[in-house]
Amino acid sequence: MPPPMPTERNHKQTRSTETTILPTTIPFITGSTTAFIFESTTPIITLPPTTAEQVCRITDAFIDSIRNSLPAEALQPPPVVAYVDKDGKEGLTSPDEEVYKGDKIEAGVIININPCYSCLCGQDLAFNCSAQSDSWQEPTDSCLVHYCENGVTKTIDRRQSCVCAQDEEVVVDNTPSSSCCYCRKNATGAPNVSPTIPESLTTPAPPTPCQLKTESRRLTFNTSDGDFCQSPGDLLLTKCEGACNGYDGLRVKAWWAETEPEHECKCCTGIGRYEPRTVQCATHGETTVDVMVYQQCVCSACGGASSFN
């Protein structure tokens, strides 16, 4: 049974008081006329000016957007939605870091769906989510290396890549300060038997060139005012992805002058146009938005914008 969700804690504003003169009917007689005196006995409570909370909320719409962006294995087990890194260690390490539906996240704070996918509460009070490209070693096993791929954590066991000469044997040492394995002369002189190594671990795959990619899925996004929108069904979405041949070449510096650096940076850039699409938004209802549809992808100078009309 999952642990119960904690209740949301609200912090109340401090109230100030000020004294105002109120009449009290205390009559006294002066000649033939009844008069009244006034004295202050009742304080009036006044509240300071209220300001909107500078927070992002963990709503059903936000949770749905995360579920549409990541596979189930990349999500936290319910009812936990995410976590806030408070101790500098990888992953969720204590209940104090857990984030639940209904929680408030201050502007500027990052929450992590997993070590490879995080969301920043921006100054516009909307979550801006992105996949990371980190890699890290398992703290207790130097042979296990974790890395990020499309917002999902993958793991490589480096024991599979330990290879030695025929007259050597593989020695595995997975203590945190070691390099996982090393080679040692085989005292018996018998041929060394190394584990089978997957080709994918020994031969790096060539980079994929810049190209147009399409996928059919439901369009989901958060607007700058915090609204969540999605298309009623799957749409054909396009993007430009892949490598371009840039380089950083010869540079020479003397005490009186230096050469112009040989340098070229190229980025995979899209050429396309905006096309209208119908979406349903939580606040604004059914509306039409313009979605970029790329027709061509090219390698162009970095720093430029996509071409569109």
Side-chain angles (χ1 to χ4, degrees), residues 6 12 25 36 38 54 60 69 97 156 180 235 261 265 282:
K12 297 180 180 179
T25 56
F36 297 86
F38 295 83
Q54 299 298 302
D60 284 324
S69 301
E97 295 182 335
I156 292 178
C180 178
L235 299 177
C265 178

Side-chain angles (χ1 to χ4, degrees), residues 3-267:
M5 292 176 54
T7 56
E8 179 184 344
R9 292 174 296 178
N10 293 323
H11 298 275
K12 297 180 180 179
Q13 291 182 313
T14 302
R15 300 191 298 178
S16 63
T17 63
E18 62 182 23
T19 301
T20 302
I21 303 299
L22 293 179
T24 57
T25 56
I26 305 177
F28 66 96
I29 306 298
T30 58
S32 61
T33 304
T34 301
F36 297 86
I37 61 171
F38 295 83
E39 60 182 34
S40 172
T41 60
T42 307
I44 289 192
I45 297 176
T46 59
L47 292 174
T50 58
T51 56
E53 288 183 297
Q54 299 298 302
V55 297
C56 300
R57 287 184 175 272
I58 305 297
T59 62
D60 284 324
F62 171 75
I63 296 173
D64 288 342
S65 70
I66 295 301
R67 289 173 177 168
N68 290 331
S69 301
L70 296 172
E73 63 269 20
L75 304 175
Q76 295 294 324
V80 179
V81 177
Y83 63 91
V84 177
D85 184 9
K86 296 183 179 180
D87 57 11
K89 298 178 181 178
E90 289 289 345
L92 175 57
T93 57
S94 72
D96 187 48
E97 295 182 335
E98 293 173 346
V99 175
Y100 294 86
K101 173 186 171 182
D103 283 358
K104 301 174 184 178
I105 308 300
E106 291 186 357
V109 172
I110 294 174
I111 64 172
N112 303 290
I113 308 304
N114 61 54
C116 294
Y117 197 87
S118 59
C119 300
L120 167 68
C121 176
Q123 298 302 317
D124 56 356
L125 306 185
F127 281 113
N128 302 304
C129 301
S130 60
Q132 310 303 313
S133 58
D134 298 337
S135 63
W136 66 97
Q137 181 177 288
E138 181 71 26
T140 58
D141 188 343
S142 64
C143 291
L144 297 180
V145 177
H146 308 288
Y147 66 98
C148 297
E149 184 177 282
N150 298 325
V152 179
T153 305
K154 303 292 183 69
T155 302
I156 292 178
D157 190 338
R158 294 195 293 163
R159 295 174 184 85
Q160 301 178 49
S161 60
C162 297
V163 181
C164 297
Q166 286 295 316
D167 60 345
E168 294 177 329
E169 61 181 355
V170 176
V171 180
V172 174
D173 178 8
N174 66 343
T175 55
S177 59
S178 76
S179 59
C180 178
C181 57
Y182 61 92
C183 297
R184 182 174 62 191
K185 285 291 184 180
N186 191 334
T188 64
N192 172 55
V193 179
S194 297
T196 303
I197 308 163
E199 185 178 351
S200 60
L201 294 178
T202 58
T203 306
T208 303
C210 176
Q211 59 184 306
L212 178 66
K213 293 188 175 182
T214 61
E215 60 177 335
S216 179
R217 64 173 177 85
R218 177 170 291 185
L219 173 64
T220 61
F221 59 91
N222 291 304
T223 63
S224 59
D225 63 353
D227 200 2
F228 172 75
C229 304
Q230 62 180 352
S231 60
D234 290 346
L235 299 177
L236 187 64
L237 305 177
T238 62
K239 64 179 179 180
C240 289
E241 184 176 272
C244 294
N245 292 324
Y247 69 91
D248 203 1
L250 179 67
R251 299 187 185 207
V252 178
K253 180 183 288 187
W255 65 268
W256 70 91
E258 62 181 281
T259 64
E260 289 293 327
E262 297 180 3
H263 175 81
E264 184 177 35
C265 178
K266 291 184 176 181
C267 298

